[in-house]
Structures are given as C-alpha cells and as structure tokens.
Amino acid sequence: MRFHNINIRNILAEALNHGGIIVDVRERDEFIGGHIPMAVNLPLEDIKQGKISFPKNKVIIVYCETGGRSTVAASVLSDKGYKVINTVGGLKGYKGALTKGGK
C-alpha cells in the first residue's frame, strides 16, 4: 500500500492543498442521499473493475461511510499508480454540511 491516511475532518483542506479530487466510493444511492461538497462518485466495485478515468497526476482523496471501503479503494488505486489519500472515520466522522443529489 502506497497511500497515507488523514482524518475525515481534514478532507476539504487536503483537497485544496493538493489540488486533489475527492472521491466518494459508496454506492450511487448513498452518494445521492448526501455527500461531501466537491466529491464525485465512483463506487468501490467500479474501482475494482478498473473503471477509473482520473488523471494520474492528481491526488485522489477517497472516503466512504465508515472507512472500510475507502481503505480497499485506496489500495486498489495506489496499486494502479494513482497518488491516493485515504480518510479515516468515514462520513460518520465528518462534521461539515453535506450536498444532496448529484449526477
């Protein structure tokens, strides 16, 4: 594993500091129900199947509901050559406002 972990509460600051992409690895319906602002949805199963279209020069910051799926996603992405930051605590530990809906 070639990624490091941060507390979920620091996700927006880390994204801004690194010019990173925040990726919600939960299922689509979970994402629509509420997600971190600026996040895009790419479910863990899609990541496992290689359905990834992010540029490799960007830092990918992953999160999920509790931290389990994001750890798996971070491992898969880092094995594929992406620069990855995993969040600890998951959405349950996030204290900021959530965005609902999305495409």
Side-chain angles (χ1 to χ4, degrees), residues 24-42:
D24 184 323
V25 302
R26 299 175 303 152
E27 293 300 317
R28 185 86 187 123
D29 59 334
E30 293 175 284
F31 178 79
I32 290 169
H35 56 273
I36 293 174
M38 301 187 314
V40 296
N41 184 227
L42 183 61

Side-chain angles (χ1 to χ4, degrees), residues 4-12 14-15 61 85-89:
H4 72 276
N5 297 306
I6 62 166
N7 187 294
I8 188 78
R9 293 177 184 169
N10 300 326
I11 193 168
L12 294 175
E14 286 292 312
I61 306 169
I85 298 174
N86 181 47
T87 56
V88 176

Side-chain angles (χ1 to χ4, degrees), residues 77-98:
L77 288 166
S78 67
D79 287 348
K80 292 184 180 293
Y82 289 90
K83 299 174 210 164
V84 185
I85 298 174
N86 181 47
T87 56
V88 176
L91 199 56
K92 297 247 182 225
Y94 182 73
K95 301 299 181 196
L98 297 178

Side-chain angles (χ1 to χ4, degrees), residues 27-78:
E27 293 300 317
R28 185 86 187 123
D29 59 334
E30 293 175 284
F31 178 79
I32 290 169
H35 56 273
I36 293 174
M38 301 187 314
V40 296
N41 184 227
L42 183 61
L44 176 57
E45 285 307 310
D46 289 352
I47 292 170
K48 287 180 176 179
Q49 293 172 15
K51 298 177 183 176
I52 308 160
S53 61
F54 301 123
K56 289 201 175 175
N57 66 337
K58 290 283 193 178
V59 173
I60 309 299
I61 306 169
V62 293
Y63 77 92
C64 63
E65 191 69 24
T66 61
R69 287 179 279 183
S70 67
T71 301
V72 173
S75 180
V76 171
L77 288 166
S78 67

